[in-house]
Amino acid sequence: VKIEWDGETLTVTIPVSPRDPEPIVLTFRPHHKYRRLLDEWKAGRARMGEPTLTAHSLSIPLKFPDPIPYEPEGVIGIDSNEGNLTAFVTSTGEIREIDTGYVGKVNRDHLRREIKGTRGKHNPKAKKKIASKHRMIRREKTENFWHHLALALIAWALGMKAALVLEDLKGMKERIGKGKSRRMRQRLLNFWSIMTFHRILVHKARFYGVPVIWVDPQNTSRACPVCGRVVDRLRGHALACPCGVRMGRHEAAAVNIARRGVEFLEGSGLRGRGRWATPVAGPLASG
Ligand SMILES: [Zn+2]
């Protein structure tokens, strides 16, 4: 398929094939908001993907290069749970908790509706249809929520030129499977939801040029943020260290995640403790 753009008319030429002895030439006059993008493409500032032609539409994917991430002047450590996110900002010492209970609620609601909707139905095809409908709504609602939350965090990071630091959950599933701590097992339940959020956040961060760092998730909520000791048992939701520090475990995790991000940036972290989730250019690239 050949695409030509002269600033007014988009010409799509479909070459000769066994079915079409003559090339098919289609012309389009795109809406002005698409014209600007086509101008950018023509000027060489975007790459074109494979166009998709249907009976009623033409879709052309255009890929614009992502901005180069800035050099971070601090980090925001993010402890991700299904019910909430806790963020710690190194430059101000601020701790912020964000309620994400909506996601769990949507998941539960739609599961309930799915069960109710398929009750008494014996036709497996009809059952499948109802189930897939609910899955789709559920997915759309939760992804939309994560999407907006990701944008808010990115705006926050951009405002203070901070890097976002997330726990690297890759490989986490296997580790939880081997019967690790309760927190680890609990996290498996929320694993997919949090993975979705991280995927959306990193994708958007790339788009806005916000650097993101993955760090080792080991013991983030059990290590004392002051003396570094790993505390075996948590008192309820609090970490109580023999050194006298008492802190909520989510807050402790956010502080520890942020610290690992800072260590990674300073190059003082243990080997393999961190890696870039977003591309970096220049002196940062060797990180
Ligand atoms: Zn301590």
Side-chain angles (χ1 to χ4, degrees), residues 224 227 241 243:
C224 171
C227 72
C241 181
C243 80

Side-chain angles (χ1 to χ4, degrees), residues 8 38 63 67 74-75 78 100-101 110 113 115 132 151 162 183 209 214 217-218 232 237 240 255:
E8 281 293 321
L38 286 163
K63 171 88 179 101
V75 307
I78 299 167
T100 59
H110 281 273
R113 271 185 233 177
I115 292 165
S132 90
L151 282 179
R183 174 171 153 98
W214 295 121
Q218 190 79 45
D232 272 339
H237 286 288
V255 172

Side-chain angles (χ1 to χ4, degrees), residues 50-100:
E50 198 62 47
T52 312
L53 191 62
T54 72
H56 307 287
S57 71
L58 170 69
S59 320
I60 304 172
L62 290 179
K63 171 88 179 101
F64 288 86
D66 294 329
I68 294 160
Y70 48 80
E71 201 157 334
E73 288 169 10
V75 307
I76 301 175
I78 299 167
D79 179 47
S80 322
N81 303 284
E82 200 190 47
N84 67 74
L85 294 185
T86 308
F88 174 70
V89 185
T90 52
S91 58
T92 60
E94 184 189 353
I95 289 183
R96 205 182 276 189
E97 196 174 305
I98 302 153
D99 186 357
T100 59

